[in-house]
Amino acid sequence: MGSHMDNPETRKLPILGKRNILITSALPYVNNVPHLGNIIGCVLSADVFARYCRIRGYNAIYICGTDEYGTATETKAMEEKCSPKEICDKYYAIHKEVYDWFNISFDKFGRTSTPQQTEVCQAIFKRLWDNDRLSENTMQQLYCDKCQRFLADRLVEGTCPTPGCEYDSARGDQCEKCGKLLNPTELKSPRCKVCQNTPRIRDTNHLFLELPLLKDKLEEYINNMSVEGLWSQNAIQTTNSWLREGLKPRCITRDLKWGVPVPHEKYSDKVFYVWFDAPIGYVSITSCYTSDWEKWWKNPKNVELYQFMGKDNVPFHTVMFPSTLLGTGENWTLMKTISVTEYLNYEAGKFSKSKGIGVFGNDVKDTNIPVEVWRYYLLTNRPEVSDTLFTWSDLQAKLNNELLSNLGNFINRVLSFVAKPSGLGYGSIIPSIPADVIVDSHEPTKKLADKVAAYVEQYIEAMEKVKLKQGLKLAMSISGEGNGYLQETEFWRLYKENQPLCALVMKTAVGVVYLLACLLEPFMPSFTLEVFKQLNLPPVVHDSLCNEKGDVDRVKRPWEIVSAGHKIGTPQPLFKELKDEEVEFYRKKFAGSQADRIERAEAEAGKLADQLKKTKVSEGSGKKNQSTKSLKEGKTKAAAASPAEPEISITRLDIRVGLIKSAKKHPDADSLYVEEIDVGEEQPRTVVSGLVKYIPLDEMQNRKVCVLCNLKPATMRGIKSQAMVLCASNDTQVELVEPPSSANVGERITFPGHEGVPDELLNPKKKVWEALQVDLHTNEELIACYKDVPFTTSAGVCKVSSIGNGTVR
């Protein structure tokens, strides 16, 4: 259910007579990995609303993308010694991957560094210029003599001038601690972020948006829309404080290279300030989605614009962006509803991208906690009115007590009972309600139906007002009612004593399961897919809550929702308990900053390498075989002593022919490649290999390799490696062990004379791989062998290109 709209045929345009809803979430800044605070603040909240609109049958599109221009990207590029474009390409891919994992259903996830952005931005600028809404002014700006350039706001740090705050690392545009917007020249003891030198003040010319000239139009818009669009209290307060302080002209240009160039000869060496051009990104990304973008953006009568963001972004969406659009004099679709979140804090402090504190989008994929649990936890904890706190023990409590014991338990009890064979249950067939059962006379069923209908009505009301947390709570209450209904009716007793009534109870309960799948889809789409699979119903058809289709009306009669005679699928538990020791493990793993974690991981790796060095027996000497032999004998004896442990034999390894589909450099480690390798399964496996120093990237593409597939997956610098590529090495070189080119992808590599089934997963504690690896090598003929038996495929043996008598690992 990720981005599903890249086919021009299916591009949605506003439809007359329908509700047309345009949804945006604040464009995440590209120069960092998004953390959970960013995810709940913008993209996840907007995704829930977009999915809700779709199941209600509204015509909705959800637009987002990475915000790529500006100082922060230039600074990051300087740090990483590459071009701003390379930084953007790298992080765009990371953002996209994180949001795909979270099942965010954008209609378009674009980026702002596009020709379309330049075109839309410059067109808006020209309208403002022609309408005399811009002014020119000389500004005093900090200039660094050492770097020989004017310093953009974010390239200056110093002490916050706000009395009582005095934070010593305030940025030139805003103090992170007290939130106040600043000008760099206001900072006390400023310093250049690049060279730490003290900059001096110099004059430079800039263009300003004349907000005072737009004040009346802006206030009229705010007064009307904040009421009609039910703006949240935090948005209204922030906006009013801006208006109270009095609107001043705002600078829209910057002395930078990386941005949209100003189309005016006098300012041709400047670009637009990122805060002028970033909100325009919503428009330009829509124009990448459809060339008829104006039907969405210049159609205020037929389109409702809903915008999602964190609280630090409010003034730009309620004051700056509307003023920009109003200043053009064109008929723009202005924001109707703004949904703002406060901050999500981590365990004891603030999530911080710059400091690497908290759980980041790419970390989440490395836990064994499935996406629906993350989405549920973040949404129950959505900081709608005040800051909220992420804690591991709270995540555990929500999963174990709410998802597992309430929701999962209800659905599993109902479907498992229906699936039981006839005589114990219904043989997977939904029962029919005999004609002589009068529903209205069965009090518990009538009571449940009334409660469920009332909850659904409140759910719709909450979701329409974008009260997502409340919507989720109401849906979960229905599950609680369902559990209560099962207890009250004692269906297991009814089955033996009153089959006709039991049929009514079970058919009603199945209807409630179906309804929960629909109501929870916006929050946990992967959960909904699984429930529909267990119900054996296609979600595309059934996942719907439309007034026109009578879906809402049907809620009052849950026993009519799933037809009698329908055969369900196979019920399975939907959630897994999170244990105390796992919670402790995650808490330790994600403690401190990301830099601390990398340091810890490297220290662990260092320890491991030292141990290997100590246990490695000197190569090539005759003693080698003897000592490994006694080592092996010891192991075999130990193995014989505990009969449960099978003997260590080469057949326990699952080595297969793999095809590298793609290989790229690891985003966070210079010596590692990340490959996608087809090993004959449905999905390719992700494998991380330390081969950068030995094998050029172009030689890694599209090659057949030998892959060890049953090692325990290991996370390397934030990416989980699900297998290992086998290589031969001597003191100076490393080469891939290669199967014959006509070997079949996915076939198992065998060792003639050794027959047996591989372990499903090697137990790392038993050191099976380590014991066998000492006997893997290449011979004089460059053939890879175990002892003297070649690695064999249906097309011949596996070889290396030049390393004879090398070690294979």
Side-chain angles (χ1 to χ4, degrees), residues 644-662:
E645 180 57 21
E647 95 171 74
I648 289 184
S649 104
I650 191 68
T651 58
R652 291 180 62 183
L653 303 185
D654 182 4
I655 304 175
R656 297 185 217 164
V657 175
L659 176 66
I660 301 179
K661 300 292 250 185
S662 74

Side-chain angles (χ1 to χ4, degrees), residues 53-96:
C53 290
R54 294 185 197 119
I55 64 172
R56 292 283 284 144
Y58 306 152
N59 184 36
I61 64 168
Y62 175 16
I63 299 292
C64 187
T66 39
D67 173 8
E68 305 198 343
Y69 284 139
T71 329
T73 313
E74 267 197 15
T75 320
K76 188 85 173 174
M78 283 172 6
E79 281 170 23
E80 297 203 10
K81 300 186 175 53
C82 62
S83 70
K85 179 163 186 339
E86 286 169 322
I87 282 283
C88 292
D89 290 348
K90 168 181 163 175
Y91 282 101
Y92 172 77
I94 292 173
H95 275 263
K96 183 136 179 30

